[in-house]
Amino acid sequence: VGPSSGPQSLEVLCIIMAFYLACPGKVFLNRGNHEDRHTCASYGFEREVGRKCTKQIFETINSVFIVLPICTIVDDKVMVVHGGIQDERVTLEELGQCNRRVFKGVPISSTMEANMTKKEYRLANVMLGALWSDPDPHVHHGVQPSPRGAGSAFSEQAAKAFLRANSLSMIIRSHEVCKTGYETRFQHKKDTACPVVATIFSASEYSKGMHNRGSVMRFSKAGPGVVDHNSKKKRVFEVPHTSLSFFVESYSHRESNTSKALNETRLSLRSIIMSKRDQLAATFARVDEASTGMVSLEQWCGVMEE
């Protein structure tokens, strides 16, 4: 939610929180690697909130981020988490013991480690893995350090061992942009289409020049097959050892003609303003008789109209 939602990150957060409050028991939120004070400061969310509101609002938002759950378990068998697992030894009990309030979503330095007990260090790494790790088909056994600098790159063997140890069937996560909005990693068996790990990335056109689709995953108690949804046939996957099934819907952002016209108008206005930059600066300085470096909105409008 935080600094990864573009220039309207605060508005996106407010909309999500409004849904959360308006639909108790129907909207569930997990913490991601960006819901962290350090990341918010590094990627501009702290500045955005300070510009639009106050520092106190930013502090309030962070007080919400630090208590968001690390993961959600669906029907006792499917784990929904932002990143993944630190290693195959992670347990749901450990995930529940992580101290979310004091956790800092940055790599653990030797100084930080020296001030931790063995258990605190373990749980801090478990939480880093939940928020930062990624599945990697090039890792053939166990895990390797993640190139992100936090969390792990975990293998098919590690994912399956984690699921077996915790009586789970599937991991659903995000954290990686997918061209189609949806990506699967590892299979349960050759005759089972359901993946061990599925990446769902809901933000289409994630950044400038990145023409990725977004997707959502819909669960039901229906069996495998093909269903007709919104006049489009969707393949339905059955989750092993559960009565759950799911299908994925992807979408792309299409800029409307109105949006294009508005953007073209903005660019045109910007070009006109920049071409008269020196003239405008001189006129604003004349209007600002007290040399405060500021003009009122009414004065600005008058100069621009002139």
Side-chain angles (χ1 to χ4, degrees):
V1 176
S4 60
S5 304
Q8 283 81 44
S9 291
L10 179 59
E11 289 82 351
V12 171
L13 175 62
C14 289
I15 290 170
I16 291 174
M17 288 300 177
F19 276 118
Y20 180 79
L21 294 173
C23 308
K26 296 184 182 296
V27 177
F28 300 89
L29 303 177
N30 281 349
R31 183 174 178 177
N33 64 321
H34 281 194
E35 282 69 66
D36 173 79
R37 177 183 292 275
H38 173 78
T39 313
C40 286
S42 300
Y43 284 80
F45 184 60
E46 181 177 9
R47 291 191 297 275
E48 179 189 340
V49 177
R51 186 177 71 251
K52 294 176 178 178
C53 302
T54 64
K55 181 176 175 56
Q56 183 56 46
I57 295 296
F58 177 71
E59 296 299 326
T60 300
I61 290 172
N62 269 282
S63 72
V64 174
F65 284 168
I66 64 174
V67 296
L68 288 175
I70 303 170
C71 66
T72 298
I73 307 299
V74 179
D75 211 36
D76 297 325
K77 286 295 183 180
V78 178
M79 184 174 81
V80 183
V81 67
H82 183 72
I85 55 173
Q86 181 67 10
D87 53 51
E88 62 265 44
R89 296 181 295 112
V90 173
T91 65
L92 294 181
E93 183 180 3
E94 284 182 318
L95 287 167
Q97 291 174 347
C98 292
N99 193 338
R100 293 170 285 169
R101 293 180 180 274
V102 301
F103 173 80
K104 292 180 174 61
V106 294
I108 301 170
S109 65
S110 55
T111 303
M112 293 167 66
E113 182 181 354
N115 293 319
M116 292 177 173
T117 65
K118 186 176 181 179
K119 184 174 182 179
E120 287 172 339
Y121 180 68
R122 168 62 181 169
L123 292 178
N125 275 289
V126 167
M127 189 159 175
L128 274 176
L131 302 182
W132 285 89
S133 291
D134 302 296
D136 191 338
H138 299 103
V139 178
H140 301 295
H141 189 85
V143 300
Q144 292 183 2
S146 171
R148 296 179 185 270
S152 301
F154 60 92
S155 65
E156 177 178 0
Q157 174 272 327
K160 289 182 175 179
F162 165 77
L163 293 177
R164 282 195 302 270
N166 292 279
S167 300
L168 297 170
S169 296
M170 186 179 180
I171 299 171
I172 299 173
R173 38 92 64 186
S174 47
H175 196 43
E176 291 180 287
V177 180
C178 306
K179 184 71 175 177
T180 60
Y182 170 67
E183 193 170 75
T184 62
R185 291 288 186 220
F186 321 136
Q187 298 299 124
H188 282 281
K189 296 178 181 178
K190 290 182 179 180
D191 58 347
T192 304
C194 182
V196 172
V197 180
T199 299
I200 296 290
F201 200 84
S202 60
S204 62
E205 306 289 332
Y206 181 59
S207 62
K208 188 174 182 180
M210 187 178 291
H211 304 300
N212 66 288
R213 296 175 70 84
S215 69
V216 295
M217 181 179 284
R218 298 179 183 271
F219 277 94
S220 73
K221 296 287 186 177
V226 176
V227 296
D228 193 6
H229 182 81
N230 291 338
S231 301
K232 293 181 180 179
K233 291 186 175 181
K234 307 292 180 182
R235 186 178 182 185
V236 178
F237 298 88
E238 187 177 41
V239 181
H241 313 300
T242 75
S243 59
L244 290 173
S245 61
F246 70 87
F247 67 87
V248 177
E249 238 180 342
S250 64
Y251 49 86
S252 61
H253 172 73
R254 291 285 187 270
E255 191 177 32
S256 67
N257 291 333
T258 302
S259 297
K260 289 180 179 178
L262 285 172
N263 285 332
E264 289 172 1
T265 301
R266 291 190 191 102
L267 290 173
S268 177
L269 284 172
R270 183 178 184 275
S271 177
I272 293 171
I273 290 170
M274 293 304 294
S275 69
K276 299 181 179 296
R277 181 175 179 176
D278 293 339
Q279 184 180 346
L280 285 169
T283 306
F284 282 134
R286 176 167 45 82
V287 172
D288 179 23
E289 296 178 352
S291 299
T292 62
M294 297 181 292
V295 295
S296 68
L297 180 59
E298 184 179 0
Q299 290 172 321
W300 183 89
C301 289
V303 170
M304 297 304 290
E305 286 177 359
E306 181 184 338

